Structure formats: structure tokens, C-alpha cells
Amino acid sequence: MDYFKLKEHGTSVKQELNAGLTTFLTMMYIVPVNAIIMSQAGMPMDALITATALITFFATALNGIWANTPVAMSVGMGLNAYFTFGLVIGMKIPWQTALGVVFISGIIFLALSFTNFRIWVIKSIPIDLRRAISAGIGVFISFIGLQQMGIVVNNDAVLVGLGNLKDTNVMLGLIGLLFVIAFWAWRVKGAFILAILSTSIIAWVFKIAPYPKEFFSEPASITPIFLELDIASAFSLALLPVIITFFVTDLFDSVGTLAGVGNRAGIFDEHSDEGIKRLEKTLEADAVATVVGSLVGTSTTTSFVESASGVEEGGRTGLTAVFCGLLFVLTIFMLPLFKAIPSNAVYPVLVMVGVLMFSELAHVNFKDPAISVAAFLIVVIMPLTYSITNGLSCGFLAYLIVRLLRKEFEHINVGVIVLALISFIVFWVQ
């Protein structure tokens, strides 16, 4: 195990195994959750379960071996919802074309991972706007979760209204939401997957959903979605803003997650060459995984904040990620169980993830007029227009306009101008 430099990082095989198991339990939920979300785009759920498990194994193990960091990766929450509800359902784009968008954004991310461009983008956009983007995506996916649960419904008079809380399925969703909030508040390990299973058991006991007649089976084939992406159709001016959105969001999501996880373990020390190198290699693994994921049939892959749970257990090297990735192979054989999980046992997780992402607003400096206006528009426009792209565009344009009006030219850089111009194009081509 000298490859992972265990002694140098003050850890052991046993400690890394415990950390990998902890990370696995806290993010195991992604397999059924992602499959249910993306199946709404018309993709076969059986194939999605296998594809999600495979790409999680591949991405996590790749990062462990390539970057030697205890960071697990899988299909990103938020972008998978945007893929389904924003692109396929909202923009009426075939899921094959949407996979093409993911592929192109991944290729861009991969190509730029070997340059200083990503650092330039990160430094160009104020950290407060990055936090607002995270919060806006949180509100967006929470809105989708509440809508799919039947708590928020269409209302012709005022656009949206409160659903029928007496409906059995809606009540099941509320119970699931209570479970996920309670387990998270109690800091229970594996809170999300425990909430999903607890809600599912209630649904099975009270015959709200059919219970699984078996728990394990042979893995489902990914043939229906493997290499089905339509890259040619994704190459269009109309989809350029969407491609940029996937790229920028994945970049910010990854960097934000890695910063949080890395600070706790001292993994990505900005003042050391090794720390910077590990960060760069982790981002490279992320980019490769996104490209491979689009070929397998999944949305954008990103680093998971649940990796922090493994770090808390003492995970310090890539061996943690390798163990975690290997454990995800087991989920390939759990198709009957995952298919028996009712959707309203899953969507409460989206709401809770949104709550966690929304908390980033606590660090935003709302005393700055430009930041205040831009952050507000980012957070509000995303859910109201059902589009992450529109939220980003409004925010970048508003930030530049307010800075110009206040003659605060020292806060304007080339990156801000470029992103504002792209934002203007977004509205121009619509």
C-alpha cells in the first residue's frame, strides 16, 4: 500500500476501510435517487441503476488511484435534476441530445483541466456569487422535490399552490421529509439512505407501494442508454448557454466541495505544491468521469460533499475512495430493492440537499449592492424560470450593471465581462 503513502499521511488500511465504508453509507442514496430522477426524462430505470452504480465506482476509484485523495464522486445532484426537468422536460430536448450536452461540457472541462483557465474562472467570479449559485441550485432542486412530491402543484390563478395534503402519496412524502430532517438533525450516519428505507418500509407495510419480492438479482443491462448520446444535435448555438452552464456549475460545485472536504483534512493546501497538485488531479478525475458518464448514460459527475464523512472517520488517502468505489459494485445487484422504492421516499432527499446548499447564503455579503442584487436574482430566477442558466445569466448581468452604475471599476475584470456577454447571448438566442 506504499502507493497511497499511508504512513506519510498518518493512516492505515483499516482506517481507510472504515472511512470508505462510512462514505459509501452516506452517499449510497445516489443510486436510487439518480435513477428515479433521470427516468423522468424517458430513460429506462433499470439501466440507470446499473449505470449510476458503475460510474460511481469508476469515478471514485479513478480519483483514489489518480489523485490519491479520499474524495468520492458520482452523478451530481442539481445537474441531474436540471438535465431531466430543465432540458428534457422544460426545453423539450431528447435525452440523447442532453447526454451530448453533458459530453461536450465534460470535454471542455477535461481540456481546460490541464490549463490555468479554471483557476482564472474561479478568481474572476466573486466568491459571494459562487455561494449564491450554490444556494440558487439548492432552491431549484428543492422546488422540484416539493413539486414531484405533490406538495407544490400547478394553480392557474397564481401559477403554483399547495397540494392535497390528505392524499396518501403526499402524506408519504411528508413522512419521508420528516425522516430525512430528523436523521440529519441527529447527525445519524447514512441519514439519507436510512430515511429512504424507513419511508419505503412504511409504504410497503401500508400497501401504498408494492414491496420487493426479492432484494438481489443479476445486474440490468445498460445497453438501452450506453453510447446513445447525440453529440451532433448538441452542437448548436441555442444549446451553447446550456453547455456553459453545465461546465461552470460542475466547476464551482467541485471546487466548493473539495474546498470544504480538503480544509477539514488539510488535503488541498494552497501554499504547498503537493496540495495544489492533488486538487488539480482530483479535478482532472472529475472531468474524465463526466465524459465517461455521458457515454454510459448518466448526467454530469462531480465530487460529493458526503466525502467529508469519510474524512471525519480518518480517511486521508485515495485508498478510502478505492474502498468506497468497490462497495458501490454491490449496488449493481440490488435492482429489485431499488425499483420497489416509491418516488415519494426519494424526493424528500432533494429538498434536504437543497436546504444544505441554500445555507451558503449565510456567508454572502448583502451589504454590497452589486452582490445583493445579483445574489437575489440568481436565487429567485432559477426556480421561477425552471432554469439554472437563466439564474446565472441574470446574476452575472446584474452584477456588472450595478458595478458600472456605481463606477466601481476596480471590481470589474475580464472574466466578469466575458460571463456577462455570454449571459446577454443567453437571452438573445432564446
Side-chain angles (χ1 to χ4, degrees), residues 240-309:
L240 177 61
V242 176
I243 293 172
I244 294 174
T245 295
F246 269 87
F247 164 71
V248 172
T249 304
D250 186 21
L251 176 62
F252 290 164
D253 193 6
S254 296
V255 171
T257 297
L258 296 177
V261 175
N263 288 342
R264 177 63 182 172
I267 299 170
F268 307 116
D269 184 3
E270 296 179 0
H271 303 292
S272 72
D273 292 337
E274 183 184 357
I276 294 175
K277 186 176 180 179
R278 295 180 84 183
L279 173 60
E280 290 178 342
K281 284 197 168 187
T282 302
L283 288 172
E284 289 165 6
D286 187 345
V288 170
T290 291
V291 174
V292 174
S294 67
L295 300 175
V296 173
T298 63
S299 181
T300 303
T301 301
T302 190
S303 304
F304 262 55
V305 71
E306 282 80 2
S307 302
S309 63

Side-chain angles (χ1 to χ4, degrees), residues 30-75:
I30 190 60
V31 178
V33 170
N34 183 64
I36 287 178
I37 290 174
M38 294 190 66
S39 66
Q40 298 297 309
M43 305 173 72
M45 184 170 173
D46 292 17
L48 283 168
I49 287 175
T50 302
T52 304
L54 285 175
I55 196 59
T56 304
F57 157 69
F58 171 80
T60 303
L62 172 66
N63 180 65
I65 295 171
W66 177 248
N68 195 23
T69 58
V71 176
M73 298 180 178
S74 188
V75 183

Side-chain angles (χ1 to χ4, degrees), residues 313-368:
E313 285 295 311
R316 292 295 181 270
T317 74
L319 188 57
T320 292
V322 171
F323 279 135
C324 178
L326 289 172
L327 287 169
F328 266 97
V329 175
L330 300 176
T331 62
I332 298 175
F333 303 94
M334 300 170 68
L335 178 62
L337 174 61
F338 289 149
K339 287 188 67 177
I341 294 175
S343 60
N344 267 19
V346 168
Y347 285 118
V349 171
L350 262 69
V351 178
M352 192 63 228
V353 171
V355 171
L356 299 178
M357 295 179 74
F358 185 76
S359 64
E360 285 294 315
L361 280 185
H363 308 291
V364 174
N365 178 23
F366 283 101
K367 292 182 180 180
D368 185 323

Side-chain angles (χ1 to χ4, degrees), residues 9-52:
H9 290 93
T11 184
S12 64
V13 174
K14 181 180 179 181
Q15 187 169 309
E16 297 290 293
L17 175 59
N18 288 336
L21 176 60
T22 299
T23 301
F24 168 72
L25 291 175
T26 57
M27 64 177 284
M28 179 184 171
Y29 72 90
I30 190 60
V31 178
V33 170
N34 183 64
I36 287 178
I37 290 174
M38 294 190 66
S39 66
Q40 298 297 309
M43 305 173 72
M45 184 170 173
D46 292 17
L48 283 168
I49 287 175
T50 302
T52 304

Side-chain angles (χ1 to χ4, degrees), residues 368-370 398-412:
D368 185 323
Y399 178 80
L400 178 60
I401 291 171
V402 175
R403 289 296 188 207
L404 290 173
L405 290 174
R406 291 173 59 84
K407 298 181 180 180
E408 297 172 338
F409 305 117
E410 69 275 11
H411 294 288
I412 300 174

